[in-house]
Amino acid sequence: MKSLTKAYRPISWPTKGAGGDTGSWRTHRPVVDTQICNKCQICWVYCPEAVIDRQEITIDYRYCKGCGVCAVECPTGAISMEMEE
Amino acid sequence: MATSIKKLPDIEQVLSGNGACGGCPATMGLRIVGKALGSNAIMLLTPSCSVASMGMTPRLGYNWPCINITFASAGSSASGITHALEVMQEKGRLHGELPTVFAWVGDGGTYDIGFQALSGAAERNDNIIFFCYNNEAYSNTGVQRSGATPRGSFTTTTPTGKRQPKKNMALLMLEHNIPYVATATVAYPGDLYDKVVKAKNIPGMKYIEIQAPCYLGWQFDMPETVQMSRMAVRSGAWLLWEAENGKISFNNPSSLIISGKKDAAPVDEYLMKQGRFNRLLKGPDAESRIAEIQGDIDREIAFIRERAKITI
Ligand SMILES: Cc1ncc(C[n+]2csc(CCOP(=O)(O)OP(=O)(O)O)c2C)c(N)n1
Ligand code: SF4
Ligand code: SF4
Ligand code: SF4
Ligand SMILES: [Mg+2]
């Protein structure tokens, strides 16, 4: 019963994916070329979704919305936006 | 020097997979604010994109206790909460560092609908941080004009371009004689971070306004949120400054423009990138209307330059 009352209370709890699996919104996928990337973290700081790992510069595609901000801001041109299948 | 990117903390208070548009400047700004405030804070929101972005019950995309309140009451509700916390501490019902109480409100909720309660909270010098994320329109309801919409901008309620200039909200807050006022924008995250850290450690009322270029309302390409924010600053259409106890100092690169060391970029290029000025730029009276916009910018620069000379 406890979980039922929790579910029906008008209170929300901090959770990733509160707007769903927002990666499904993507039309283009940012792909990082690790040969070119210098790990400056500029993409990390501007990503509105917080889906870039600042150390590894890998992207969580489950939630990345494909906005392309990272690709435009990357100073080395290491990120390309590739059309989703 | 503003804090460098690599020195910003890891903490994420804005959770991945929230409901905001891709490239959303409000989310981008809030994420940096979260790094500065940390988790010990209470957030108040008025109806806005940032509320629509929170996600669907029972899930929440921000990692703070969040309270959704009416437009008219952000200032007064934040005041009430901060006073309640102080009383609870006095009575021994709350221990440790008090949470930062902050309001996260759009320009519609700040410049227009919530102005009275904000002004009241400022005049009482209540211990809160009031953030205005300024996307220069009522975006959540389909982009209507607000007091922050600049002259010439198309919105659904200004189909021929807004005829009036915007208010200068940050200066209005400064003249409430509060301990801290600052402006920021998403292209300069280190500057924003430092300002929020500073505000967090000052007792009393703090007002921070973050210019937030919204691709949907301003009609530019989604990946260019940060580019637009940078162009706004370089053209002088947005100025970066802060004021501690009424004393204004300017932040780079706006300080170079104010001191005359660097010329502001002409506003045309900035306007041309935005569909919301399209009709105006293509109209027969384009030249005079651009001159009007440039005039508004020049006047604001001249005004704040002189205001900054008053240091008593
Ligand atoms: C008193 C009242 N009037 C109107 C509305 C409808 N409304 C909801 S969000 C919104 C726009 C808010 O604009 P702003 O504060 O700039 O935030 P933004 O949507 O741009 O993020 C409006 C008008 C409302 N919820 N309450
Ligand atoms: S901005 Fe570009 S170079 Fe810098 S870390 Fe990201 S991918 Fe690498
Ligand atoms: S495309 Fe947008 S959401 Fe995806 S990693 Fe880049 S900045 Fe983040
Ligand atoms: S309309 Fe603009 S401010 Fe609102 S969620 Fe979309 S990008 Fe963000
Ligand atoms: Mg707005």
Side-chain angles (χ1 to χ4, degrees):
Chain A
M1 278 315 284
K2 206 176 165 201
S3 61
L4 239 178
T5 45
K6 189 171 165 181
Y8 285 98
R9 260 185 296 166
I11 295 177
S12 297
W13 304 91
T15 328
K16 275 192 182 185
D21 282 350
T22 50
S24 66
W25 300 3
R26 242 183 359 253
T27 57
H28 289 73
R29 162 187 295 249
V31 178
V32 183
D33 185 335
T34 49
Q35 300 292 312
I36 304 176
C37 170
N38 64 12
K39 303 218 164 162
C40 66
Q41 303 186 3
I42 287 176
C43 54
W44 168 80
V45 83
Y46 289 126
C47 172
E49 275 316 299
V51 293
I52 303 181
D53 182 300
R54 74 188 297 186
Q55 305 304 339
E56 303 300 326
I57 315 297
T58 48
I59 294 167
D60 181 354
Y61 292 115
R62 180 166 179 193
Y63 300 119
C64 161
K65 292 171 183 165
C67 68
V69 166
C70 54
V72 168
E73 296 310 317
C74 172
T76 64
I79 305 179
S80 48
M81 298 302 292
E82 294 176 7
M83 181 101 87
E84 290 284 353
E85 304 274 297
Chain B
M1 276 292 277
T3 299
S4 70
I5 292 173
K6 290 197 175 164
K7 295 226 168 84
L8 293 175
D10 286 333
I11 186 170
E12 299 291 357
Q13 292 295 112
V14 173
L15 305 176
S16 307
N18 56 66
C21 302
C24 175
T27 315
M28 198 183 274
L30 183 59
R31 187 175 159 239
I32 302 300
V33 167
K35 291 183 182 297
L37 292 181
S39 57
N40 190 23
I42 297 172
M43 181 182 197
L44 292 98
L45 303 101
T46 62
S48 60
C49 280
S50 285
V51 168
S53 306
M54 292 171 101
M56 284 158 288
T57 310
R59 289 188 267 180
L60 166 66
Y62 309 142
N63 193 20
W64 285 293
C66 294
I67 306 165
N68 289 335
I69 40 145
T70 64
F71 265 122
S73 68
S76 41
S77 300
S79 293
I81 291 169
T82 199
H83 283 295
L85 291 171
E86 279 162 25
V87 170
M88 283 168 76
Q89 192 182 44
E90 266 170 38
K91 293 192 169 173
R93 286 164 60 191
L94 198 65
H95 303 283
E97 204 181 319
L98 282 183
T100 306
V101 178
F102 74 103
W104 180 259
V105 179
D107 50 298
T110 305
Y111 283 60
D112 304 336
I113 322 179
F115 185 51
Q116 179 270 340
L118 166 59
S119 177
E123 193 268 335
R124 291 187 302 270
N125 195 24
D126 285 329
N127 187 26
I128 61 176
I129 309 179
F130 194 104
F131 290 95
C132 169
Y133 71 91
N134 179 4
N135 53 18
E136 302 187 345
Y138 292 78
S139 288
N140 181 45
T141 38
V143 194
Q144 292 81 29
R145 91 198 269 291
S146 79
T149 305
R151 202 202 294 264
S153 174
F154 165 87
T155 64
T156 52
T157 45
T158 52
T160 57
K162 191 181 167 192
R163 296 279 165 175
Q164 301 80 9
K166 63 179 180 178
K167 302 180 192 175
N168 194 327
M169 188 68 197
L171 272 177
L172 287 173
M173 293 316 294
L174 181 71
E175 297 309 326
H176 280 71
N177 300 310
I178 57 177
Y180 190 69
V181 178
T183 64
T185 184
V186 291
Y188 303 89
D191 177 72
L192 169 59
Y193 173 81
D194 290 348
K195 286 168 175 169
V196 181
V197 169
K198 203 177 273 182
K200 185 183 162 182
N201 293 309
I202 297 173
M205 174 79 187
K206 288 81 60 177
Y207 177 80
I208 299 180
E209 183 162 335
I210 306 168
Q211 192 232 27
C214 158
Y215 83 96
L216 191 117
W218 299 21
Q219 301 169 28
F220 58 82
D221 292 338
M222 183 163 50
E224 302 203 322
T225 302
V226 177
Q227 300 280 317
M228 212 54 61
S229 156
R230 211 174 273 126
M231 282 171 90
V233 172
R234 288 186 180 161
S235 64
W238 188 252
L239 298 170
L240 299 176
W241 56 271
E242 60 190 317
E244 279 176 75
N245 298 316
K247 291 188 188 64
I248 297 178
S249 51
F250 297 97
N251 313 102
N252 272 335
S254 299
S255 47
L256 301 171
I257 296 174
I258 297 285
S259 66
K261 284 188 188 135
K262 204 172 163 190
D263 286 338
V267 76
D268 311 37
E269 201 191 327
Y270 172 60
L271 301 181
M272 236 97 85
K273 280 265 193 180
Q274 302 170 44
R276 63 176 175 160
F277 294 107
N278 241 348
R279 289 168 210 209
L280 173 142
L281 296 174
K282 286 189 187 138
D285 55 350
E287 224 167 280
S288 65
R289 295 193 70 183
I290 293 175
E292 248 178 12
I293 297 171
Q294 187 70 60
D296 290 341
I297 293 172
D298 294 347
R299 186 187 176 279
E300 282 209 4
I301 292 175
F303 192 94
I304 198 159
R305 185 189 283 132
E306 292 307 309
R307 172 61 184 80
K309 290 178 186 161
I310 302 172
T311 55
I312 46 170

